[in-house]
Each structure stands twice: as C-alpha cells, then as structure tokens.
Amino acid sequence: MSTTDPRHYDVIISPVITEKATIASEHSQVMFRVARTATKTQIKEAVEKLFDVKVKRVNTLVRKGKTKVFRGNFGSQSDTKRAIVTLEEGHRIDVTTGL
C-alpha cells in the first residue's frame, strides 16, 4: 500500500532548474513549480511524502507572466507559483538526475 496521496502529485508540478536554483541547492534549498492554489503546509507535506525528506521552511512567490507582442498581437504567458523549500540538515533532493 502506497503512503503517498495522489493529491501530492497535483501540488508539485515540476522542479525548477535555473542558475538561481542551482546556487540555492548548495544551501539545502530546492525550487519547485507548484499549483497556484497550493498552501505552504500542503507544499511541505507533499515534498516530505514524495521525496522522503524533512522540510525546515517553505517560501512561496508568484512569478508574473511576461507580455509579448508578435505581429501586432498582444499575448502573455500565464503567471506561475514557485516554492523555495529549505530542507533540514543532512537531507538532499537531487533534481538534476531525474525524478
């Protein structure tokens, strides 16, 4: 019987692999794209269950989508919510090797 709730997969969308996220990984932090409606407690619970680690702190931010103009037509990318998850001492998540 699985201990992970299927709703955890709806909270965590994907890991973010950027230069900033790579630098943060040196300080036991991991960055994820998360659902817009996800709360910090839901994100903490999902990360702990899916990756079998202990979470110390969760910080969230909403990244505004960029506005683009292509041949006179205005369009915009959708806003995304990100979570910076700080892990307890001794715990690691390596997102570069695949999930």
Side-chain angles (χ1 to χ4, degrees), residues 64-99:
K64 299 296 181 189
K66 296 180 181 178
T67 302
K68 303 276 186 171
V69 180
F70 182 70
R71 293 188 180 178
N73 295 327
F74 287 92
S76 64
Q77 296 174 341
S78 57
D79 300 344
T80 58
K81 186 171 186 176
R82 292 184 176 190
I84 301 171
V85 179
T86 304
L87 303 175
E88 290 285 350
E89 198 71 32
H91 292 272
R92 286 184 51 85
I93 298 175
D94 192 7
V95 294
T96 58
T97 60
L99 299 175

Side-chain angles (χ1 to χ4, degrees), residues 11-18 21 30-34 51 81-83 93-99:
V11 173
I12 305 293
I13 297 172
S14 67
V16 175
I17 301 173
T18 60
V30 186
M31 196 177 299
F32 294 103
R33 279 185 50 225
V34 295
F51 297 101
K81 186 171 186 176
R82 292 184 176 190
I93 298 175
D94 192 7
V95 294
T96 58
T97 60
L99 299 175

